[in-house]
Amino acid sequence: MTWTGAGALLILVATYAGVAVGRIPGFRLDRAGIALLGGAAMIAIGAIGMEDAYRAINFDTITLLLGMMIVVAHLKVSGAFRALGGFAIEHAHAPFMLLVMVTLLTGLLSAFLVNDAICLVMAPIVVHVTRVIRRNPVPYLIATCTASNCGSVATITGNPQNMVIGALSGISYPAFTAALAPVALFGLVAVIVIVRIVYRAEFSRPAELSPEVYRGRMLPGQVLKATIVCVVLAIAFFAGVPVAKAALIAGAFLLVTRAIKPHRIYREIDGPLLFMFAGLFVVVAGAERTLLSPDMIAWAKNIGLDDVWRLSGFTAVLSNIMSNVPAVLALRPFIPGLENPERAWLVVAMSSTLAGNFTLLGSVANLIVAEQARAAGKELSFAAFFKVGLPLTLLTLAFGTAWLAVTS
């Protein structure tokens, strides 16, 4: 191995370790900073040139994520999410029906919009409602984050890792949804059943609920505008319009308004996530150029990644070690060489997302819900989550893998 190759390997390992942990001891670097530092280091040692680094960044992914962030931000700021959540939850007149409403609403919104953003909206609503009706918030909070993960499996726009896979694989939006929507639906049903069983004491006590949701200020004209744009956007996705192009145009159109100040939208955009993506793209490209060899491609075949079950398990483990987006990018060099790349990408999308339900630390959506709960004085513990997360992850992964093995 050359000095450049050894340096690239060290940078790759250090970057992924830093991203997995979330920080570097002694420094004020977050995941975005670590990824950018890793990309810059790859350029510095000559593993990849500047022009190639520019080309390595998949701008379709960045553009799609940015466009969807603007769309979601407009829905949030206009009050559309609060209105929809309030309407649904206020019609849940029993604890079990509240669980069903929270699960289905979170899952369905996460199927089309970025799941992390949906958790930011839904978690405070759930905390408020359970406080008003004096119920245990934990089962409903767990349902919120696990349903967001399960629902987001269904589409390319459901979560960041699916966006990466959509851009890298070339799988169309309708084909992706047709393959994975049944898995998402099964996951939402599983969330309801497992939470109901694990927290049976919460649902065994009969109660008539009359929850009142604080909806805050709503801008009816902007809500209508955002709703129309979302419907047109969904039609464009299924009609075959490139998803990045459609999302960017929709987001830009929503910025044309006299009612909402631009900075209110901009502060909802997760800039560090975009930076992290850019850095990781460069890190992976530098590692590919210096480390990837025919022997490594053959290694992927030798460990059986062509097998759906083995690829699913490998992806799930990798996602829990280093997080789902880095895991997807780490697998990128090996997928095109497999016997059925399209099926392999679908397996990676399904497994990397559902693996996020394994522990409280398994996905950003889980952490968002836990932080929102803590800010409201409610604790969502690792153990409480794991009681649902373990059986849910095993069950949904088994179903999803079996489904793709038979249908793809």
Side-chain angles (χ1 to χ4, degrees):
M1 182 181 290
T2 65
W3 285 108
T4 301
L9 178 60
L10 179 61
I11 292 167
L12 178 70
V13 172
T15 301
Y16 269 71
V19 169
V21 174
R23 63 186 181 87
I24 295 178
F27 295 91
R28 293 184 179 275
L29 276 174
D30 59 3
R31 286 185 170 90
I34 292 167
L36 283 175
L37 178 62
M42 284 289 188
I43 296 170
I45 67 169
I48 187 171
M50 283 297 295
E51 292 299 321
D52 289 330
Y54 294 145
R55 284 191 287 268
I57 299 172
N58 191 301
F59 285 101
D60 279 346
T61 303
I62 303 294
T63 304
L64 172 59
L65 191 53
L66 176 61
M68 293 305 296
M69 283 179 180
I70 296 173
V71 172
V72 170
H74 199 91
L75 287 166
K76 180 180 178 182
V77 172
S78 68
F81 281 142
R82 289 192 303 272
L84 180 60
F87 177 81
I89 291 175
E90 283 176 353
H91 286 76
H93 297 299
F96 181 69
M97 284 308 301
L98 179 60
L99 172 66
V100 171
M101 284 290 192
V102 167
T103 301
L104 294 183
L105 181 61
T106 304
L108 290 174
L109 288 175
S110 298
F112 179 64
L113 304 169
V114 187
N115 67 331
D116 298 345
I118 301 305
C119 285
L120 275 170
V121 175
M122 287 299 298
I125 294 176
V126 170
V127 170
H128 169 74
V129 167
T130 51
R131 178 183 289 125
V132 169
I133 62 178
R134 298 182 180 180
R135 308 295 297 192
N136 177 13
V138 171
Y140 306 101
L141 289 169
I142 292 174
T144 300
C145 45
T146 54
S148 78
N149 290 326
C150 289
S152 73
V153 169
T155 70
I156 288 172
T157 53
N159 56 57
Q161 63 269 22
N162 283 7
M163 294 183 188
V164 173
I165 290 169
L168 297 178
S169 67
I171 301 173
S172 70
Y173 200 95
F176 192 101
T177 302
L180 292 180
V183 179
L185 181 59
F186 177 86
L188 295 180
V189 174
V191 169
I192 294 170
V193 172
I194 293 174
V195 171
R196 172 66 178 81
I197 293 172
V198 172
Y199 290 94
R200 51 190 172 274
E202 164 66 18
F203 304 103
S204 61
R205 293 181 292 131
E208 182 70 21
L209 308 182
S210 298
E212 294 182 7
V213 180
Y214 173 70
R215 302 187 185 188
R217 184 188 177 201
M218 191 173 74
L219 303 171
Q222 297 305 311
V223 170
L224 178 61
K225 176 183 175 182
T227 302
I228 293 172
V229 168
C230 285
V231 171
V232 173
L233 185 59
I235 293 171
F237 285 157
F238 285 103
V241 177
V243 289
K245 177 181 177 181
L248 183 64
I249 293 172
F253 179 75
L254 285 174
L255 289 175
V256 182
T257 172
R258 291 184 298 177
I260 299 174
K261 294 180 180 179
H263 74 87
R264 295 185 65 193
I265 300 297
Y266 299 153
R267 70 187 181 194
E268 298 291 334
I269 295 173
D270 190 351
L273 181 62
L274 301 178
F275 295 149
M276 188 185 81
F277 270 58
L280 286 177
F281 276 126
V282 176
V283 169
V284 171
E288 278 187 67
R289 287 175 173 273
T290 55
L291 300 173
L292 195 62
S293 66
D295 289 340
M296 289 191 69
I297 299 294
W299 171 81
K301 287 184 171 289
N302 290 337
I303 65 170
L305 292 186
D306 273 320
D307 179 76
V308 171
W309 289 92
R310 194 164 296 179
L311 177 60
S312 178
F314 187 80
T315 303
V317 172
L318 201 62
S319 295
N320 272 284
I321 293 173
M322 61 175 60
S323 188
N324 38 36
V325 172
V328 167
L329 290 175
L331 288 167
R332 183 184 76 171
F334 305 102
I335 301 299
L338 299 181
E339 183 180 337
N340 189 337
E342 181 171 316
R343 182 180 69 180
W345 278 122
L346 291 171
V347 171
V348 171
M350 178 274 301
S351 185
S352 64
T353 301
L354 294 180
N357 283 331
F358 186 60
T359 71
L360 188 59
L361 305 177
S363 78
V364 175
N366 301 349
L367 295 175
I368 287 172
V369 172
E371 286 301 317
Q372 292 285 316
R374 186 177 294 112
K378 304 294 181 181
E379 188 68 27
L380 178 55
S381 70
F382 187 95
F385 184 93
F386 192 65
K387 287 191 292 185
V388 173
L390 174 61
L392 178 64
T393 302
L394 296 178
L395 183 62
T396 53
L397 279 177
F399 176 85
T401 307
W403 174 262
L404 292 175
V406 172
T407 60
S408 300

